[in-house]
Amino acid sequence: MALLGFLARGSRTGYELKALMERSVGFFFGASYGSIYPALKSLAGEGLVRVEEVVQSGRPNKKIYTITPEGRQRFRASLREEEPSGDVFRSEFLMHLFFGDEHDPRRLLELIGEYRSRCEARLERLRDVEEEFGKTMTPYQRMTLDFGLSHFRGRLEWIREVEDRLRSLAARDGPEQRQPRQEAQR
Amino acid sequence: MALLGFLARGSRTGYELKALMERSVGFFFGASYGSIYPALKSLAGEGLVRVEEVVQSGRPNKKIYTITPEGRQRFRASLREEEPSGDVFRSEFLMHLFFGDEHDPRRLLELIGEYRSRCEARLERLRDVEEEFGKTMTPYQRMTLDFGLSHFRGRLEWIREVEDRLRSLAARDGPEQRQPRQEAQR
DNA sequence: AGTGTCATGTAACTAGTTACATGATTCA
DNA sequence: TGAATCATGTAACTAGTTACATGACACT
């Protein structure tokens, strides 16, 4: 259904749809080729999109998908009728942190550093999107972008505080006490 | 592996583990019976946990799982060696908002109201956990709880702003213009 | 010489969830 | 009387992802 929404704003190939989705809704709705191509095929089978094949040399023929009037109708019907299911959130990183007292403190600091990098990178990409499209977005697209911006900013604030607490915990335990069990096991 | 972590803090039944996980890590690591029972079985098969069956009448026999020394070792090894994969976040609600201009404004306000209720309920539950266990938590458990607290507080702040913007958009468009396409299609 | 972009697609796999099956006891 | 709690487990299903297969062209 998401694909229909994007196609309602202009005809695209599967490849273009993936790139477009990655930048716009990627942070809350991932989609791989393995899900996009089969979905487009089934939409075409239902007559919700039309396919126009453009012959190319040196690469597979381009397939430009265009939404049909039935597709538009179906899309709007799905917006009206579908109850969005609850957000899904899952974090293995937090599970590691949860069991932090069984962890090597240095490893923990390393893990959170990686976590921070990933958040920073994602925030950066959202800022790029803001600069590039900020003026042409609908107010609704703007709201979802703001969601992402505040999401990652909040996350980074929390990370900074956790790093401080982790460092003071490490200092309190003293440098000589670091990963005693790991040393003993060898 | 998460199950081993919980069992390292005390022996439990599968049923108890589910309840325990729901309250403590539920907001970032969901687990259903359909995943817990088979996992416990395979852990027992690998000798990482020991099972003690308690005969009961009127309900299935209780199976109390206890971690073995090999289980503890394996758990710590997994903390040391496993790279936590990136967080997973997915929101159908945001997809609805993203296409807000094709939506009926009243329906949108309704959807965000439901979204707010869910967030408030989750925040409330985390506050319950804080009151009940705040004093006995490890500093690491405290950090993950704070993650949840700041996560949902940030979310609620964003929601309030979106509700304001949505209402002013609805006011600007005027009440007579509501869902014009939906009316016309019938 | 090597990386990134364009461009399609499938098969195998992963990691679960949901629904079902069973059923006594306790509390409001 | 009805809901919640305790307690286990499986089968069928869902919704994907990852890796593979193919390969030219442009840029650095």
Side-chain angles (χ1 to χ4, degrees), chain A residues 63-79:
Chain A
K63 288 187 176 177
I64 300 168
Y65 291 89
T66 302
I67 196 165
T68 62
E70 302 84 66
R72 265 175 219 280
Q73 228 173 314
R74 179 74 147 267
F75 174 61
R76 272 197 266 271
S78 80
L79 284 184

Side-chain angles (χ1 to χ4, degrees), chain A residues 9-73:
Chain A
R9 279 139 209 259
S11 302
R12 318 248 175 221
T13 66
Y15 186 84
E16 287 169 339
L17 281 166
K18 173 150 194 283
L20 186 60
M21 286 184 71
E22 212 140 69
R23 272 178 302 131
S24 55
V25 300
F27 72 92
F28 63 82
F29 206 94
S32 60
Y33 291 127
S35 64
I36 288 174
Y37 285 122
L40 284 171
K41 192 188 258 187
S42 93
L43 288 175
E46 290 182 86
L48 305 175
V49 299
R50 183 165 33 87
V51 197
E52 188 192 333
E53 199 156 349
V54 177
V55 177
Q56 296 189 130
S57 59
R59 64 188 66 165
N61 289 340
K62 203 190 264 198
K63 288 187 176 177
I64 300 168
Y65 291 89
T66 302
I67 196 165
T68 62
E70 302 84 66
R72 265 175 219 280
Q73 228 173 314

Side-chain angles (χ1 to χ4, degrees), chain B residues 51-132:
Chain B
V51 198
E52 189 193 334
E53 201 157 347
V54 177
V55 178
Q56 295 189 129
S57 60
R59 62 189 66 165
N61 289 341
K62 204 188 263 198
K63 287 187 176 176
I64 300 168
Y65 291 89
T66 302
I67 195 165
T68 61
E70 302 85 65
R72 264 174 220 280
Q73 228 174 316
R74 178 74 146 267
F75 174 61
R76 273 199 265 273
S78 81
L79 284 184
R80 234 179 299 135
E81 289 150 28
E82 270 171 27
E83 277 299 307
S85 65
D87 289 358
V88 174
F89 177 65
R90 191 178 190 90
S91 176
E92 287 184 13
F93 164 74
L94 282 179
M95 192 52 96
H96 275 255
L97 184 62
F98 187 84
F99 292 118
D101 51 351
E102 311 235 21
H103 236 303
D104 168 16
R106 272 175 299 188
R107 171 94 172 112
L108 215 46
L109 235 20
E110 198 182 291
L111 286 179
I112 197 159
E114 285 164 18
Y115 192 65
R116 182 164 38 76
S117 303
R118 272 180 270 156
C119 281
E120 282 166 350
R122 279 160 165 277
L123 182 57
E124 195 103 6
R125 252 181 288 154
L126 288 182
R127 270 198 282 243
D128 292 346
V129 171
E130 189 178 20
E131 261 186 54
E132 202 180 336

